[in-house]
Amino acid sequence: MANRYLVALNIQENLKKIEVEGVSGGELVKVVLKGDYEMKSIFVHDNAKNEKKEIIYDLIVAAYNDAKDKLKKKTSSEISKVTGIPNLPPDFKMPF
C-alpha cells in the first residue's frame, strides 16, 4: 500500500514539471502552462497591438485552451507510461 502511495506521489510530482505551449492567431499569442494548470507565462507579439482589445482577449483565451488541450494529452501520456495502462482518456484524473 505504501509503495502505491509513493508511486502516486512520484507521478504527481512529475506531472507538475510538465510544461506545454499553446498558441493562437498565427503565434500572435503564446501561453505556457505547467502540469498543475498554472500559467507560467504569456506572450503577446507586438503585431497584436494593431488588433482590437476584444480580439486580443479572444486570442489569449484560444491560446490558453490550446495549451490546456495539449496538457491533458501530455499528462495522460505520462500517466500511461508510468502505470502501463495504455490509452487513458485525456481528461483522466488521478485519484488524489
Side-chain angles (χ1 to χ4, degrees):
M1 183 75 145
N3 189 32
R4 283 192 210 171
Y5 177 74
L6 292 175
V7 169
L9 282 179
N10 187 32
I11 291 171
Q12 192 173 27
E13 288 303 313
N14 286 339
L15 292 179
K16 287 180 182 180
K17 295 176 186 175
I18 294 173
E19 290 186 2
V20 296
E21 180 179 84
V23 297
S24 68
E27 299 196 5
L28 282 179
V29 175
K30 296 179 183 181
V31 170
V32 176
L33 289 183
K34 298 189 322 184
D36 56 1
Y37 290 86
E38 182 177 320
M39 190 180 301
K40 180 179 180 181
S41 66
I42 184 168
F43 169 79
V44 179
H45 195 281
D46 289 338
N47 292 342
K49 293 178 182 175
N50 301 328
E51 301 293 338
K52 294 180 182 178
K53 277 195 303 188
E54 293 79 16
I55 292 175
I56 295 172
Y57 296 157
D58 288 344
L59 290 173
I60 291 170
V61 170
Y64 174 83
N65 287 335
D66 182 47
K68 184 176 69 168
D69 290 342
K70 289 176 181 176
L71 185 56
K72 283 181 181 181
K73 290 175 186 171
K74 181 74 173 170
T75 55
S76 178
S77 172
E78 292 298 316
I79 292 171
S80 291
K81 285 180 193 175
V82 173
T83 63
I85 302 171
N87 303 321
L88 288 172
D91 58 349
F92 179 78
K93 301 274 192 244
M94 291 296 289
F96 46 81

